[in-house]
Amino acid sequence: MRVHHLNCGTFTSALMGRLVCHVLACETDTGIVLVDSGFGLADVADPTHRVGRYAKLTGARFRESETAVRRLETLGLDPSDVTHIVATHLDFDHIGGVADFPNATLHTTAAEHAASEGRSTFRERVRYRPAQLSPAPAVRTYSGPGESVLGFSGTHPIDELGGRIVLVPMPGHTRGHAAVAVDTGNRGWLLHAGDAFYHRSTVAAPGQVPPGTEGRALRVMEELIAVDRSKIRDNHRRLRELNNQAAPRVRVFSAHDPTLFDELAGERG
């Protein structure tokens, strides 16, 4: 499996610095699989209707060149070959590009799909934008006991993808948030942790990476928008352990950390 690391959205602010929307494009035998999709073409054309006013407060920058469609074209890949999109969660900065791939199936946890459909709290009305999933894509949801992968119980390997891409439920940021594990073969595992953490200092070995002003600001924001802060802290601990274990080798990264993105994007997929 060849994996490309794409930045499909940028945020900038004085306190938090530059943030990215880290999307994976996995070339598989069944087509191209995206993990998350960032902002899409329609978001760029009409951000207020599609994304809402909150995006402006976070410093979102809407650029057509950063959409997944354009990123794939730049790589010489055909966007019509995208057959599946595996979402860490359904926040507006993670699924805006879904509409650009009408033949793709969207995979998410049942809890996350229910939360986005119900939008029963103020947080959920801000973060979930119905316009981004209109027309409605084909959706497959996952729940139940699942399997054990990378020490996590209750995970859901996606059968259509040969079990090499796995939803790892990790609620806290949202009700149905998940990480997505990708088995790249002899290069080890990638774990796209979505918004289970924001800053690289969270999963680094103690004292290895200072959080700095940006990391501290991101931690405050993380706590403010989480639906369950205790689960966020438990996810931090589990991801830190996984990131620092010797074997199997797992590269843990979040959706928005620009340094982790730059490191991975600079490597050959």
Side-chain angles (χ1 to χ4, degrees):
M1 183 188 301
R2 187 175 186 189
V3 179
H4 305 275
H5 297 267
L6 315 178
N7 175 26
C8 296
T10 298
F11 297 83
T12 58
S13 71
L15 278 178
M16 295 179 289
R18 167 181 167 254
L19 302 177
V20 300
C21 293
H22 194 155
V23 171
L24 302 183
C26 308
E27 295 185 60
T28 76
D29 293 339
T30 59
I32 298 170
V33 179
L34 299 183
V35 177
D36 282 352
S37 66
F39 292 125
L41 293 173
D43 299 328
V44 175
D46 188 2
T48 300
H49 171 65
R50 293 268 298 182
V51 179
R53 299 174 183 175
Y54 179 77
K56 292 183 179 179
L57 298 177
T58 59
R61 301 289 183 263
F62 295 93
R63 303 180 178 116
E64 183 173 334
S65 62
E66 289 187 344
T67 61
V69 166
R70 299 294 180 248
R71 293 292 196 193
L72 292 174
E73 291 172 344
T74 299
L75 291 170
L77 299 174
D78 187 346
S80 67
D81 289 338
V82 174
T83 53
H84 299 274
I85 300 172
V86 185
T88 60
H89 60 302
L90 303 180
D91 278 2
F92 62 75
D93 52 331
H94 293 258
I95 54 89
V98 169
D100 296 329
F101 306 99
N103 298 320
T105 298
L106 176 64
H107 300 261
T108 186
T109 66
E112 185 68 3
H113 189 253
S116 72
E117 291 278 295
R119 302 175 75 229
S120 60
T121 68
F122 173 75
R123 283 192 184 97
E124 290 173 346
R125 288 190 290 276
V126 170
R127 71 194 330 155
Y128 301 129
R129 305 295 298 179
Q132 289 183 312
L133 294 179
S134 179
V139 178
R140 182 174 175 188
T141 62
Y142 300 80
S143 61
E147 302 179 18
S148 179
V149 174
L150 295 176
F152 294 97
S153 60
T155 73
H156 304 286
I158 297 174
D159 292 339
E160 297 98 317
L161 307 177
R164 295 182 64 188
I165 298 180
V166 184
L167 270 173
V168 182
M170 199 168 283
H173 177 69
T174 66
R175 283 194 268 163
H177 184 280
V180 179
V182 179
D183 180 3
T184 68
N186 59 9
R187 295 179 63 85
W189 287 83
L190 296 170
L191 187 77
H192 191 316
D195 288 2
F197 75 97
Y198 283 142
H199 193 266
R200 57 197 173 278
S201 61
T202 303
V203 297
Q208 187 178 47
V209 178
T213 301
E214 294 173 0
R216 287 189 288 270
L218 285 166
R219 182 63 65 87
V220 171
M221 187 180 78
E222 184 178 21
E223 295 271 338
L224 286 174
I225 63 178
V227 299
D228 191 323
R229 295 176 184 176
S230 65
K231 288 182 179 178
I232 283 283
R233 295 164 191 151
D234 184 55
N235 291 338
H236 288 175
R237 177 187 58 78
R238 297 173 74 197
L239 289 168
R240 188 181 307 113
E241 292 172 353
L242 186 65
N243 191 49
N244 291 286
Q245 71 182 20
R249 177 60 172 137
V250 182
R251 302 290 297 274
V252 177
F253 55 95
S254 68
H256 300 301
D257 189 292
T259 297
L260 296 179
F261 171 79
D262 291 342
E263 290 175 357
L264 287 160
E267 299 176 4
R268 291 185 178 273

